[in-house]
Amino acid sequence: MATAAAHDTARTQADEARDGADSTVGDTAAYERAFDSAVAADERIEPRDWMPDAYRATLVRQIAQHAHSEIIGMQPEANWITRAPSLRRKAILMAKVQDEAGHGLYLYSAAETLGTSRDELLDKLHTGRQKYSSIFNYPTLTWADVGAIGWLVDGAAITNQVPLCRCSYGPYARAMVRICKEESFHQRQGYELLLALSRGTPEQHAMAQDAVNRWWWPSLMMFGPPDDESAHSAQSMAWKIKRHSNDELRQRFVDICVPQAESLGLTLPDPDLKWNEERGHHDFGPIDWTEFWDVLKGNGPCNEQRITQRRQAHEEGAWVRESAAAYAAKRTNGTTETGAPRA
Amino acid sequence: MTTTTVPTTAALALGDDALVLSHRLGEWAGHAPVLEEEVALANIALDLLGQARVLLSLVGDEDELAYLREERAFTNLQLVEQPNGDFAHTIARQLYFSTYQHLLYAELAAGDGPFAPLAAKAVKEVAYHRDHAEQWTLRLGDGTDIGHERMQRACEALWRFTAEMFQPVQGLEADLPGMESAWLESVGDILRRATLTVPEGPRSGAWTAGAGRQGLHTEPFGLMLAEMQHLHRSHPGASW
């Protein structure tokens, strides 16, 4: 099929429509056909391409939520930067938290290509109109939690995100390629941290096991509600924003984690977890969806704390941003000579 | 043996400065005024931690030195242990310290002493830190009135910790007292360009000068160490 050509035509038409304000190219049906065939042919949709409003809105929501998760996700780990037990671990953790801020920046940029702005998105986060991943509403109570987050939380994120590298929206897909590289690195570091604890003193081993016990189920919840309760799944898969269902990815993650837990010398806190020869997958116990929805609605252990800290950082930083803007404006307007005394 | 040994006192002093300031900057993670500063402050903290690890390793085991010494055995400058305060305090501390570090490492890198290889790498990092502090001093000082006031206040508050940087350090082959005028000139120039007034107060605490280098610290430092060392000390002999 000449989908690439159709797509190019749609792009040209969209450009013309934009340039000639009163031209009546507006054949939406033709745009839609071109969009659909581009998606069907696994072409990338780019910022200047025509796209359905709902596709744009879904992407803004998803990318923003992803960006917010990176930013809020800095908190549970940053909680341990000042207490990291060795200088090597401290350096690794600092670098990781720094990467997360960087991922947030890539993702806000990707969202901005859809016609929104970072300020607008942050405002939605601060006022609770946009969400972030429910996992970051759990507290980091011991040093081992830093390892459990790396192994399980980053592991789940990678399982979710690797397919996004083929997402139909180009800027998001490209951001994910960069992010996934760094995430896999973090995931291995988390695993290695847990391994050191597991092979350490009995106290360290117990600390690692306790962390895995607390993070296992919340990590499985990161894949979202079961397929039959997932509101956006069908449409997102049709648009090739999503490539696999929540339950498929969750199953993939469980199958990956079981042997890793064994080689870590740690157990997963699920009595129903066992290999199913017939399915070729691990069966696992029921997820507490009541807890999931509770956390999502704001009643998790740290929801209040996370959003308060974020809002505070933003509000307390307002004078800094304003001063920087005023300084930049003076340079542009040339109203103040450098070094001139203040009036 | 003694001819090739790195001067312990000097390595510890410089290593402690970097370790302690890195820790303070690490406290900003998740609290910075803008996302770009989350990246920048963590970046500077990581550079400093890298310097600290090299310097402490010249003396002994980096973790033993960082986690098992008590307050009186640390020889960092009092300047770097000062709490972050608001963003202006953090920037003033960065401006004062990175200007000093830049002068010092440039001199060490130019020589052929035991710190020359380390300084050659560090001076590039420190030039970036100094630039970052300078840019923010200008933005805050010559931005809004609030920015100006806060930056001025921060510069005043930390001024009395600046003289100790130029106390001679045993084994450090650098003309620290001679560096002082270059430091004053450089910082003064930046402050003036930022429309700020160069503080006029004393440049050291009245009771002793160079106290940090002698293991005499300010009260917030003990709390910082308690937090930093707690986990490591709770598991004696464990590896991480």
Side-chain angles (χ1 to χ4, degrees):
Chain A
M1 282 202 271
T3 49
H7 196 49
D8 277 346
T9 308
R11 193 177 305 193
T12 312
Q13 287 174 347
D15 289 349
E16 283 167 358
R18 213 182 348 256
D19 296 343
D22 59 346
S23 89
T24 48
V25 187
D27 184 6
T28 310
Y31 290 164
E32 252 168 29
R33 279 195 302 278
F35 173 84
D36 289 343
S37 50
V39 169
D42 276 336
E43 279 178 43
R44 290 285 161 78
I45 307 299
E46 296 299 336
R48 284 164 54 81
D49 294 338
W50 184 91
M51 63 187 83
D53 290 344
Y55 176 85
R56 187 184 298 273
T58 295
L59 276 167
V60 168
R61 194 192 66 244
Q62 183 174 337
I63 300 172
Q65 180 167 324
H66 194 161
H68 299 333
S69 301
E70 297 283 356
I71 300 309
I72 297 284
M74 294 168 69
Q75 291 183 30
E77 294 178 286
N79 182 37
W80 281 92
I81 286 179
T82 53
R83 290 176 289 168
S86 74
L87 297 187
R88 174 173 166 262
R89 293 291 178 197
K90 188 174 186 164
I92 291 172
L93 185 57
M94 271 184 184
K96 181 180 179 189
V97 173
Q98 183 194 24
D99 281 349
E100 281 157 3
H103 295 173
L105 287 170
Y106 299 161
L107 287 162
Y108 286 122
S109 298
E112 285 183 332
T113 64
L114 291 158
T116 180
S117 72
R118 195 209 297 184
D119 285 348
E120 190 180 331
L121 298 177
L122 280 175
D123 188 56
K124 285 183 174 158
L125 169 66
H126 297 155
T127 52
R129 286 175 293 155
Q130 279 179 344
K131 296 193 184 310
Y132 54 88
S133 177
S134 64
I135 194 78
F136 301 119
N137 291 312
Y138 290 87
T140 46
L141 301 177
T142 72
W143 169 250
D145 290 32
V146 171
I149 289 181
W151 176 43
L152 294 173
V153 175
D154 292 344
I158 292 162
T159 310
N160 257 328
Q161 290 170 10
V162 164
L164 287 173
C165 297
R166 294 184 293 128
C167 159
S168 58
Y169 188 59
Y172 192 26
R174 288 188 290 274
M176 291 321 303
V177 171
R178 296 179 65 177
I179 290 173
C180 282
K181 277 182 201 159
E182 291 178 348
E183 292 288 4
S184 346
F185 191 55
H186 299 162
Q187 200 256 354
R188 283 201 297 278
Q189 288 169 332
Y191 179 89
E192 194 254 334
L193 190 165
L194 281 182
L195 190 65
L197 294 180
S198 180
R199 290 178 177 172
T201 65
E203 290 79 12
Q204 287 177 304
H205 182 91
M207 192 192 277
Q209 184 62 60
D210 171 62
V212 169
N213 291 350
R214 284 181 289 109
W215 288 92
W216 173 247
W217 291 107
S219 301
L220 293 192
M221 294 177 197
M222 285 175 69
F223 296 92
D227 291 347
D228 50 10
E229 286 174 47
S230 177
H232 307 290
S233 274
Q235 183 59 74
S236 287
M237 285 176 76
W239 278 330
K240 293 192 181 170
I241 295 173
K242 258 179 105 125
R243 296 283 178 156
H244 310 279
S245 81
N246 294 353
D247 287 334
E248 276 170 34
L249 291 169
R250 189 167 11 245
Q251 180 70 62
R252 185 180 295 179
F253 178 66
V254 171
D255 290 338
I256 291 169
C257 285
V258 170
Q260 291 182 345
E262 271 169 31
S263 56
L264 276 173
L266 298 171
T267 59
L268 296 170
D270 179 0
D272 297 330
L273 187 66
K274 61 173 183 300
W275 176 250
N276 182 327
E277 191 64 56
E278 208 173 298
R279 292 202 305 124
H281 289 292
H282 291 87
D283 290 337
F284 54 97
I287 289 170
D288 183 353
W289 292 113
T290 314
E291 176 180 319
F292 173 76
W293 292 114
D294 259 6
V295 175
L296 216 61
K297 277 181 218 141
N299 294 323
C302 299
N303 298 58
E304 189 57 38
Q305 173 190 334
R306 299 287 186 243
I307 207 70
T308 300
Q309 180 179 325
R310 180 87 269 291
R311 250 188 244 138
Q312 236 166 33
H314 190 74
E315 284 164 14
E316 286 170 9
W319 70 273
V320 175
R321 298 189 298 274
E322 283 158 14
S323 202
Y327 176 79
K330 286 183 194 177
R331 301 274 92 61
T332 320
N333 301 338
T335 49
T336 306
E337 294 290 315
T338 303
R342 287 171 69 84
Chain B
M1 173 184 134
T2 46
T3 48
T4 53
T5 307
V6 166
T8 302
T9 308
L12 270 183
L14 301 187
D16 286 350
D17 285 349
L19 177 71
V20 170
L21 185 55
S22 165
H23 185 97
R24 283 297 188 209
L25 292 174
E27 293 172 353
W28 270 104
H31 298 273
V34 59
L35 292 177
E36 283 80 356
E37 281 306 295
E38 294 283 2
V39 178
L41 295 173
N43 212 322
I44 296 170
L46 270 169
D47 286 345
L48 290 168
L49 185 52
Q51 294 168 14
R53 295 182 65 191
V54 173
L55 285 158
L56 295 182
S57 297
L58 294 174
V59 178
D61 178 272
E62 61 177 31
D63 286 336
E64 264 181 54
L65 289 166
Y67 291 99
L68 299 176
R69 272 183 301 158
E70 295 191 356
E71 191 179 331
R72 291 282 283 108
F74 275 84
T75 56
N76 55 279
L77 299 165
Q78 290 183 348
L79 174 68
V80 296
E81 76 201 28
Q82 295 311 304
N84 289 333
D86 66 7
F87 191 69
H89 273 76
T90 292
I91 291 302
R93 193 182 59 196
Q94 285 304 112
L95 177 70
Y96 292 167
F97 183 71
S98 61
T99 303
Y100 156 78
Q101 237 192 347
H102 190 250
L103 290 166
L104 175 61
Y105 281 146
E107 186 170 325
L108 291 174
D112 55 1
F115 295 112
L118 163 101
K121 177 174 185 286
V123 75
K124 293 177 200 151
E125 297 169 348
V126 170
Y128 160 76
H129 304 170
R130 207 186 67 98
D131 184 53
H132 174 262
E134 176 179 342
Q135 294 304 317
W136 272 112
T137 303
L138 294 172
R139 288 184 196 120
L140 298 181
D142 193 16
T144 60
D145 289 344
I146 293 175
H148 180 85
E149 260 169 58
R150 292 195 178 201
M151 195 63 214
Q152 184 67 50
R153 202 184 312 154
C155 289
E156 308 273 356
L158 294 171
W159 192 245
R160 70 195 189 88
F161 297 109
T162 57
E164 63 173 335
M165 294 188 280
F166 307 101
Q167 298 293 315
V169 174
Q170 192 196 331
L172 193 58
E173 290 167 22
D175 178 16
L176 284 166
M179 225 170 265
E180 191 162 12
S181 57
W183 184 91
L184 281 168
E185 195 180 318
S186 175
V187 165
D189 172 60
I190 293 170
L191 294 184
R192 276 186 292 273
R193 281 194 289 125
T195 72
L196 296 161
T197 311
V198 178
E200 283 171 1
R203 293 190 44 241
S204 68
W207 63 290
T208 180
R213 294 284 187 236
Q214 294 151 38
L216 294 167
H217 294 277
T218 56
E219 286 183 349
F221 184 55
L223 288 168
M224 195 208 97
L225 277 192
E227 183 175 349
M228 184 174 106
Q229 298 182 336
H230 168 262
L231 177 59
H232 186 96
R233 285 182 180 269
S234 301
H235 296 264
S239 36
W240 299 93

